[in-house]
Amino acid sequence: MAKQVVFVIGATGSIGAATVTELALANVEKYGDKLDIRAGVRNPEKADKLKALPGVSVVQAEMGPDKNLVETFKGVHTLFINTPGATNRGPLTIATAEAAKSAGVKHLVVVSGVSASSGPMHKELDSLTRQWIEIESAIKQLGVPYTFLRLPWFMDNFFGLAGEIKSKSSISSPADPTKPFICIVVKDAGSAGAEVLADPSKHVNKAYSMISNCVSYGDLAAAFSEALGREIKYVRMSYEDARKMFLGMGLQEWQVNVLVDFYKAV
């Protein structure tokens, strides 16, 4: 019996890599090696970690209006689209999904954001939420069974605070330190994606918002203080100062806008 082909495009991104890793391990340990797992990457020469995973084939594939995608996706049963972190993530994701439909893919699993549940009629939508809603709306209209994984902020991002904590014993951001928000780890997102990919028939036309116990930046400072045995202060900066800081770090304007919108929501 032929194995069911599962394809993850954007597989070198943090979510894509976590999904392929969790799926490869589960395929051996839980599913009896029933899956043919393909990891789609822009540059296969830089995907050695994926190549080392059991049962994983690395394939050159780039999201967007690529005429080669239809051929690449032929024979694929389920496609996981790791929505790219780009200003044009909507068009790239939608074009990839359209190519999948043309190739006869049976099920689409698409990364979205928890804010997509706000819906298009919500009066105040940030730029990223508008993109999530645009993507989900277009996918629904394709007529291909789908599953949306709506992901929140990642706890892994807090590793970026290490430098300031070490040098200044502080955490600086424009977020209200008393307001809690949902935060998960990337590995959990990968596990959720793997679960859907292993048997998409249980998840047809569903949207899953991943949740956790909420945490605030005040909680974060307190946790680091306890773990390190010294006070880690939370310093709240203005949105404008945060914008200048992010631009000074080399982030692009659209990335800064997304971050500032997140901190305003928090």
Side-chain angles (χ1 to χ4, degrees):
M1 183 176 178
K3 294 182 180 182
Q4 184 168 292
V5 179
V6 175
F7 197 112
V8 177
I9 191 167
T12 52
S14 57
I15 300 168
T19 300
V20 174
T21 300
E22 294 301 309
L23 185 61
L25 297 177
N27 189 40
V28 173
E29 298 171 1
K30 294 173 59 177
Y31 304 125
D33 195 29
K34 71 174 185 178
L35 302 174
D36 176 352
I37 304 169
R38 300 178 188 177
V41 303
R42 183 179 300 174
N43 189 347
E45 295 179 357
K46 298 181 179 181
D48 289 342
K49 289 184 179 180
L50 295 175
K51 293 176 184 177
L53 293 171
V56 175
S57 301
V58 173
V59 180
Q60 199 287 323
E62 189 168 352
M63 279 184 266
D66 184 345
K67 62 182 180 181
N68 296 319
L69 274 184
V70 175
E71 188 64 30
T72 300
F73 290 154
K74 284 184 178 178
V76 172
H77 183 279
T78 310
L79 173 67
F80 182 99
I81 303 177
N82 180 21
T83 305
T87 184
N88 60 336
R89 75 182 72 212
L92 290 176
T93 303
I94 294 166
T96 302
E98 290 172 341
K101 178 180 179 178
S102 297
V105 172
K106 306 301 183 186
H107 194 106
L108 299 172
V109 183
V110 183
V111 171
S112 184
V114 291
S115 60
S117 60
S118 302
M121 300 307 293
H122 196 277
K123 291 183 178 179
E124 296 182 5
L125 295 176
D126 60 72
S127 58
L128 185 55
T129 299
R130 286 193 293 271
Q131 290 180 327
W132 295 137
I133 292 173
E134 174 193 2
I135 289 168
E136 290 195 7
S137 177
I139 297 295
K140 289 176 181 179
Q141 293 174 26
L142 289 177
V144 179
Y146 63 84
T147 306
F148 297 129
L149 289 182
R150 293 172 172 169
L151 306 181
W153 189 252
F154 289 116
M155 192 169 291
D156 309 61
N157 294 327
F158 294 142
F159 286 118
L161 301 172
E164 183 183 356
I165 291 173
K166 288 179 180 179
S167 63
K168 299 181 180 179
S169 293
S170 64
I171 296 172
S172 300
S173 94
D176 183 336
T178 67
K179 291 181 66 175
F181 57 94
I182 299 170
C183 195
I184 67 170
V185 296
V186 172
K187 185 177 184 296
D188 288 342
S191 296
E195 186 72 20
V196 175
L197 290 171
D199 189 357
S201 65
K202 297 179 180 179
H203 311 283
V204 174
N205 297 348
K206 293 184 178 181
Y208 297 113
S209 294
M210 294 193 68
I211 61 173
S212 69
N213 294 329
C214 292
V215 63
S216 70
Y217 269 85
D219 295 332
L220 192 64
F224 275 113
S225 296
E226 181 177 355
L228 297 174
R230 70 177 193 272
E231 183 183 11
I232 305 299
K233 296 181 179 180
Y234 180 76
V235 179
R236 188 177 186 184
M237 61 175 61
S238 68
Y239 295 121
E240 186 56 35
D241 285 344
R243 181 178 293 278
K244 291 177 182 177
M245 179 183 71
F246 294 139
L247 289 171
M249 292 166 60
L251 297 181
Q252 298 179 38
E253 184 75 27
W254 71 269
Q255 293 173 311
V256 173
N257 290 338
V258 168
L259 282 171
V260 172
D261 283 342
F262 164 75
Y263 287 118
K264 287 181 177 179
V266 170

